[in-house]
Amino acid sequence: MGERIEIGSSIGHYRIVLRIGAGGMGEVYKAHDSRLDREVAIKVLPSEMSSDEDRLRRFEQEAKATSALNHPNILTVYDIGEHEGSPFIVAELLEGEELRECLDLGSIPLRKVNEYAQQIVSGLSAAHEKGIVHRDLKPENLFITNDDRVKILDFGLAKLSEPGAVATGSEDHTRKALTNPGVVMGTVGYMSPEQVRGQATDHRSDIFSFGLILYEMITGRRAFQEESLAETMSAIVKEEPPEMTESNPNISPSLERIVRRCLEKKPDRRFQSTADLGFALESLATPTNPSGSGFIATASAIGPETDGSAWKTRLPWIAAGVFLVGLLAALPLAVKHLRQPARNEAVPVSFSIDPPEKSAGFNQSAISPDGANLVFNTIIDGKLQLWLRPMNSLMARMLPGTEGAGGVMFWSPDGRSTGFFAGNKLKRIDLADGTVQNICDITSDRRGAEGSWGRDGTIIFFVGGQGIMRVPASGGEALPLPGFEKDETILKRWPQFLPNGRDFIYLATNTQKGTSEVMAASIDGGEPKRLFASDSNARYAPSPDGGGYLFFARDGVLLAQGFDANSLTTIGEPFRLADQVRINQNARAHVSVSENGTMVYDPSSELENRQIAWFDRTGKQLETVGEVASYLTVRLSPDQKRLAFSRRDPSTGIFDVYIYDIARGTSTRLTNGPSDVDNVAWSPDGNYLAWSSRQAGKWELNRKLASGAGEIEVLARSDNKINVSDWSSDGKTILYADIDPTTDMNIRAVSLDGDRVPFTYFQSPRPEANARFSPDGRFITYWSRESGINEVYVQTFPASGGKWPISTNGGINPVWNRNGEIFYIAPDGKLMAIEVTKGETFEPGKPKPLFDFALARTTPATLFDVSADGQRFLFISRMADATSSLTVSVNWMANFRK
């Protein structure tokens, strides 16, 4: 091609109609596609530029990059080709104006700002998912169509991201970038600091540029605009833009935080993906819908946004489900003139949400007070993290900065923030901009942790055996709530504020009797009030009829009980909501209810879908053993050829002992008793198994041949519950925990020689358990709470003056291997290892972490076993491919009205 293309001439089957404009990357024409009879836009690289290898390479890159994208907010490319030595692109013809023309008139209304911003980010996210970075995002490359759709133009500077890209960042490179036209990729005023420095860029550079555009849309002025290019570039690197409230006082703090985070100078401090940025904008714009009518019912939730293959195959079914729910919701309106229903009649809707793809299933979940969002934690690729799913969306998104989030998350009253526990901190994340803040320090034991956020900004929470604490939501020192300090006999946990923000409910568990009651109390003091007996905590929620209900579990059944939150009295009789609800080992029912009538619960069993599996020292699963079932405990035989485990009989619901032959893959049943068997111990020769069970009101310590031959022999009896833990290497002593009502849980032993009279090995005012013999029988390791938190110790056997603390920041469930190495579980969920020097004396090394229990898909409270060489670990793991869905009931009262 020569100079400009003549109007009326043709390029293939495209007839040139009009010259629209020109830019650094070519000229744009309106053309008519005679083959498909439509108007198109053609972008042509002029002939005098086609000899420029760099421009030609960038133009070809634009063609490839743009043609790979198919998104409503990205210019659609129809065709690419070459004519008389000049390449061209054929794209959709847009009608409207550039964003620059809008901005030349001043700031844009905030409603439009958010609408445009979400569309821009949606298009960028689609490009970034394909590894395409725009690198020249500016108002001139954003087009607003006549129907208010935003289109991203000109991927001529797009860079297909390559693994291992290294930023040069040298002084020479930077100087060249500042002086040579075309070397600094981007447009001054909308460049990121790394572009200004001439460093390598990634998708986070686009996020910075977007932040500059968002700033300009809100304020009507550029964030960085100095008298010269060099001064502008210097300001981008070193200075902060003026406060936005100076130009637009109506901007919300949440939106301002989003802009500020986009404009962080360091890429690792910005939003780490456009998906997260889009979610922050979406959360900011999501209206509260008290009626609950804005929910979308689907057959399943979609998992991680980065893996779209699964949800695309399910999209037709999802669409059908959404259509069906919409149809059902519309039916009352369709027949309104026929039967005149009640004007505010609630429409019941129930559906399920699946966990994200490749996850270990739902751990904990909580619905926001307004029912608009569901937050949950799960494990993917060995990482425990929070996820958020707006209930009017088909997508669940991971929340950056929430790694290691254990315990149970809880919501602020306005639904804008979520509290959670990670490491040794209670934290909060503000959903609008993703900011994570530390609220206070907690004990390292985060098991059984949950809080409640009062309307006056007070948080009450429970962590491990710490008692109920109190702390401002803005941060500070956590202090014990008077009357709810740590109590070893009555465990007070799972607090939840009632509507007045002063009263709260909690679960009180008698650790000696094993009974639990739901109680009501006030943070202002006074005598707590008993409400009713329960197997789990209770959750309060108001009902659409103006009353209130408590949700709790008995015998695995989910129940609701009418409740007057003002007088703290129950109303009527409890009624059944679901035949089964998951209850964890800390007596928490997995149910959450919003203030507008949406209930979410896990209908699975805590022990369902369990698999015995081997893991190596890195946490990698090696192989599974046996079938998927409900397991309680597992022990490896001394010869490493058999397993003994406690498994629930589906017909009776009782956990009995089974022996599994690893080589043959067969199992035989050893017990058929009237009570559950919690734990077992092998004799050192592998011929016998010892366990405890309850018979005629007494607890018995039993043993029987592992072959199943002969009768059960009773070794000892007790009025207290006992739990077998180990058998000595010489075969003469069995260790067990005795739960004494007066002295708590103690370590006792029975000698198999002589009269077999049990004796106390170790006792303190605090509980201790899970005692294990060393391979040579000279030492015993166990955990005790004598210091105030669970710690692992070693003592000589028989007991003498030798005693050594093993764990450094808490620990439970220690196990030896034959080489004398000790393994235990740290409060943060890490499996720890300690090397022990062999010799006449006990000399422990420093604890070293091996891997997180999250990798084994099990809980830190679990019992486990180890191979003789200490290279493999046996866990009861929750199957990743057998996880259940959450059940959602919108307008639960209508769904379950009797």
Side-chain angles (χ1 to χ4, degrees):
M1 295 182 191
E3 300 299 326
R4 293 181 180 177
I5 301 176
E6 294 184 5
I7 305 302
S9 63
S10 296
I11 300 177
H13 57 275
Y14 302 108
R15 182 174 58 83
I16 303 301
V17 176
L18 179 69
R19 181 176 181 270
I20 299 175
M25 287 302 298
E27 295 190 337
V28 183
Y29 296 87
K30 177 182 178 181
H32 180 75
D33 181 353
S34 59
R35 180 178 297 173
L36 297 177
D37 192 23
R38 62 182 175 183
E39 304 302 311
V40 297
I42 295 183
K43 186 173 186 178
V44 183
L45 187 65
S47 57
E48 67 269 17
M49 296 183 182
S50 61
S51 59
D52 187 326
E53 293 184 2
D54 180 61
R55 284 182 180 270
L56 186 59
R57 176 184 59 80
R58 287 158 55 195
F59 186 87
E60 292 174 347
Q61 198 167 36
E62 174 186 7
K64 292 178 181 179
T66 311
S67 62
L69 301 173
N70 183 16
H71 191 276
N73 297 119
I74 296 176
L75 181 72
T76 301
V77 173
Y78 297 140
D79 192 10
I80 59 174
E82 185 176 307
H83 181 71
E84 296 181 357
S86 296
F88 65 86
I89 294 176
V90 182
E92 63 178 319
L93 182 66
L94 302 177
E95 295 184 1
E97 60 183 350
E98 292 178 354
L99 179 61
R100 166 56 60 212
E101 298 176 60
C102 299
L103 291 175
D104 286 343
L105 301 176
S107 62
I108 296 175
L110 288 178
R111 180 181 61 83
K112 286 291 184 184
V113 167
N114 212 319
E115 181 181 329
Y116 292 163
Q118 289 188 67
Q119 294 186 57
I120 296 169
V121 170
S122 180
L124 281 178
S125 182
H128 291 173
E129 283 184 0
K130 291 184 176 294
I132 299 170
V133 182
H134 194 286
R135 294 201 299 169
D136 194 22
L137 198 65
K138 56 187 177 183
E140 289 79 3
N141 282 336
L142 297 171
F143 196 90
I144 312 298
T145 65
N146 289 339
D147 58 354
D148 260 354
R149 286 182 298 120
V150 181
K151 293 280 187 175
I152 304 176
L153 314 177
D154 200 351
F155 275 84
L157 296 176
K159 182 186 72 172
L160 300 177
S161 54
E162 302 172 358
V166 179
T168 55
S170 67
E171 183 178 352
D172 290 341
H173 189 119
T174 304
R175 186 180 298 113
K176 183 178 180 182
L178 288 170
T179 57
N180 288 11
V183 174
V184 176
M185 308 299 286
T187 301
V188 176
Y190 298 96
M191 295 165 60
S192 64
E194 53 268 32
Q195 284 179 297
V196 171
R197 294 189 178 101
Q199 298 172 334
T201 58
D202 59 18
H203 60 279
R204 293 172 294 184
S205 180
D206 282 351
I207 291 177
F208 188 92
S209 300
F210 167 78
L212 295 172
I213 295 170
L214 183 56
Y215 180 99
E216 189 171 351
M217 286 195 293
I218 295 170
T219 64
R221 66 184 183 187
R222 299 192 186 191
F224 301 106
Q225 188 172 26
E226 304 297 332
E227 294 183 0
S228 68
L229 296 183
E231 289 174 324
T232 299
M233 295 172 115
S234 177
I236 290 173
V237 173
K238 299 179 181 179
E239 299 177 10
E240 296 294 331
E243 294 292 331
M244 286 180 284
T245 50
E246 296 177 6
S247 302
N248 193 337
N250 295 323
I251 181 175
S252 70
S254 298
L255 179 57
E256 186 174 12
R257 284 197 296 269
I258 290 176
V259 177
R260 293 294 178 186
R261 188 170 179 189
C262 290
L263 297 181
E264 289 284 354
K265 305 296 185 185
K266 296 181 179 180
D268 59 2
R269 296 182 64 86
R270 298 173 203 152
F271 288 97
Q272 293 303 289
S273 73
T274 38
D276 295 333
L277 171 56
F279 183 65
L281 290 167
E282 182 181 336
S283 299
L284 188 67
T286 300
T288 300
N289 187 354
S291 67
S293 60
F295 291 107
I296 297 177
T298 68
S300 61
I302 295 174
E305 193 172 17
T306 56
D307 185 2
S309 58
W311 71 263
K312 288 179 181 177
T313 61
R314 291 182 290 180
L315 190 57
W317 298 103
I318 293 171
V322 173
F323 172 77
L324 178 60
V325 171
L327 179 62
L328 291 174
L331 282 177
L333 298 177
V335 298
K336 177 179 179 181
H337 296 290
L338 296 178
R339 63 181 183 86
Q340 292 294 320
R343 179 172 298 178
N344 295 321
E345 182 177 356
V347 178
V349 177
S350 294
F351 57 96
S352 296
I353 297 177
D354 289 339
E357 299 284 343
K358 301 179 182 179
S359 75
F362 293 107
N363 186 7
Q364 304 284 351
S365 62
I367 188 75
S368 61
D370 60 5
N373 294 290
L374 179 73
V375 65
F376 60 90
N377 55 353
T378 189
I379 301 162
I380 293 182
D381 296 328
K383 296 181 180 179
L384 178 65
Q385 199 160 4
L386 290 187
W387 288 67
L388 192 71
R389 181 186 188 268
M391 298 299 283
N392 64 353
S393 171
L394 300 179
M395 302 290 290
R397 299 176 183 268
M398 186 182 293
L399 296 179
T402 62
E403 294 80 3
V408 186
M409 63 294 302
F410 56 97
W411 288 91
S412 61
D414 59 10
R416 296 180 180 178
S417 302
T418 299
F420 66 97
F421 302 85
N424 298 332
K425 305 285 185 182
L426 168 58
K427 302 182 178 185
R428 59 183 284 181
I429 179 170
D430 295 330
L431 302 184
D433 61 1
T435 301
V436 176
Q437 304 174 45
N438 292 333
I439 296 177
C440 67
D441 295 331
I442 61 173
T443 64
S444 57
D445 189 350
R446 69 183 185 209
R447 292 175 296 118
E450 186 183 25
S452 184
W453 197 321
R455 299 186 184 279
D456 66 350
T458 298
I459 290 177
I460 54 177
F461 67 94
F462 167 86
V463 179
Q466 189 173 325
I468 297 179
M469 310 293 288
R470 175 178 182 171
V471 67
S474 57
E477 181 183 0
L479 300 174
L481 189 65
F484 294 87
E485 296 83 358
K486 185 187 304 183
D487 188 329
E488 301 295 346
T489 302
I490 304 298
L491 190 59
K492 302 166 185 176
R493 50 188 171 168
W494 310 125
Q496 183 199 4
F497 273 117
L498 294 173
N500 63 14
R502 312 305 295 175
D503 297 330
F504 64 96
I505 56 174
Y506 65 97
L507 185 69
T509 300
N510 188 311
T511 58
Q512 297 172 350
K513 297 180 180 179
T515 58
S516 296
E517 297 174 325
V518 175
M519 308 286 290
S522 172
I523 61 173
D524 299 321
E527 188 69 22
K529 180 179 181 179
R530 179 188 183 277
L531 299 180
F532 49 79
S534 175
D535 294 340
S536 77
N537 66 313
R539 307 296 300 173
Y540 172 83
S543 65
D545 59 12
Y549 287 88
L550 296 177
F551 301 78
F552 61 100
R554 284 185 190 150
D555 299 322
V557 176
L558 179 60
L559 302 173
Q561 169 81 63
F563 183 69
D564 186 334
N566 295 317
S567 62
L568 304 180
T569 55
T570 58
I571 301 171
E573 294 296 322
F575 57 94
R576 181 187 300 252
L577 296 180
D579 291 336
Q580 183 167 287
V581 64
R582 182 179 170 190
I583 306 172
N584 67 15
Q585 297 175 353
N586 293 303
R588 182 185 184 275
H590 288 234
V591 59
S592 178
V593 190
S594 72
E595 295 177 356
N596 65 349
T598 298
M599 177 175 65
V600 180
Y601 68 95
D602 188 337
S604 69
S605 168
E606 180 72 10
L607 296 173
E608 280 184 346
N609 301 323
R610 299 291 176 171
Q611 175 74 69
I612 299 174
W614 282 108
F615 293 80
D616 66 14
R617 290 176 75 100
T618 68
K620 178 183 177 181
Q621 182 175 311
L622 302 175
E623 59 181 319
T624 60
V625 182
E627 61 185 351
V628 176
S630 297
Y631 297 100
L632 195 59
T633 188
V634 61
R635 291 291 292 271
L636 184 64
S637 66
D639 62 5
Q640 315 277 290
K641 296 181 180 180
R642 292 167 294 167
L643 302 179
F645 52 75
S646 176
R647 189 180 73 189
R648 182 163 55 194
D649 183 335
S651 63
T652 65
I654 294 175
F655 286 88
D656 284 303
V657 178
Y658 295 77
I659 307 296
Y660 182 83
D661 187 304
I662 297 176
R664 297 173 57 200
T666 59
S667 63
T668 58
R669 187 169 184 164
L670 192 65
T671 70
N672 191 10
S675 64
D676 293 333
V677 176
D678 292 339
N679 200 15
V680 296
W682 286 92
S683 64
D685 58 11
N687 290 331
Y688 285 88
L689 273 175
W691 71 91
S692 64
S693 64
R694 191 173 185 180
Q695 302 280 352
K698 291 278 189 178
W699 283 90
E700 296 179 348
L701 175 60
N702 304 315
R703 76 170 175 181
K704 186 177 182 179
L705 285 168
S707 65
E711 299 296 324
I712 295 174
E713 182 181 1
V714 179
L715 303 177
R717 287 186 172 89
S718 175
D719 292 331
N720 306 327
K721 181 178 180 179
I722 58 181
N723 201 340
V724 173
S725 59
D726 206 12
W727 201 321
S728 64
S729 57
D730 61 7
K732 297 180 179 180
T733 308
I734 295 177
L735 295 172
Y736 63 91
D738 180 284
I739 305 177
D740 190 312
T742 59
T743 60
D744 213 314
M745 192 159 48
N746 309 303
I747 298 174
R748 290 175 63 81
V750 60
S751 174
L752 302 185
D753 292 339
D755 56 11
R756 297 181 181 175
V757 176
F759 61 93
T760 299
Y761 170 75
F762 184 77
Q763 176 180 314
S764 76
R766 304 291 178 86
E768 42 268 331
N770 296 116
R772 291 289 192 87
F773 281 105
S774 62
D776 59 11
R778 297 166 51 214
F779 302 95
I780 287 178
T781 183
Y782 61 95
W783 67 261
S784 173
R785 205 178 295 162
E786 60 183 287
S787 66
I789 63 172
N790 297 332
E791 295 280 11
V792 177
Y793 297 88
V794 168
Q795 282 202 66
T796 58
F797 183 82
S800 65
K803 179 180 177 181
W804 300 265
I806 296 298
S807 57
T808 54
N809 292 299
I812 57 172
N813 300 349
V815 178
W816 303 77
N817 70 358
R818 288 185 184 173
N819 296 326
E821 194 174 10
I822 300 176
F823 306 92
Y824 70 90
I825 305 168
D828 63 357
K830 293 289 194 305
L831 179 65
M832 309 296 290
I834 298 177
E835 294 184 1
V836 177
T837 302
K838 296 180 179 179
E840 294 299 320
T841 60
F842 180 80
E843 296 181 17
K846 184 179 180 181
K848 297 179 181 179
L850 295 184
F851 61 84
D852 197 310
F853 263 64
L855 295 177
R857 301 189 183 96
T858 188
T859 63
T862 188
L863 298 177
F864 66 99
D865 215 340
V866 60
S867 63
D869 60 4
Q871 298 303 307
R872 302 197 305 164
F873 301 89
L874 201 61
F875 294 108
I876 298 173
S877 177
R878 185 176 177 89
M879 294 295 291
D881 58 352
T883 52
S884 66
S885 303
L886 294 178
T887 296
V888 180
S889 174
V890 180
N891 296 321
W892 69 269
M893 279 289 291
N895 272 320
F896 298 102
R897 185 175 289 124
K898 302 178 70 174

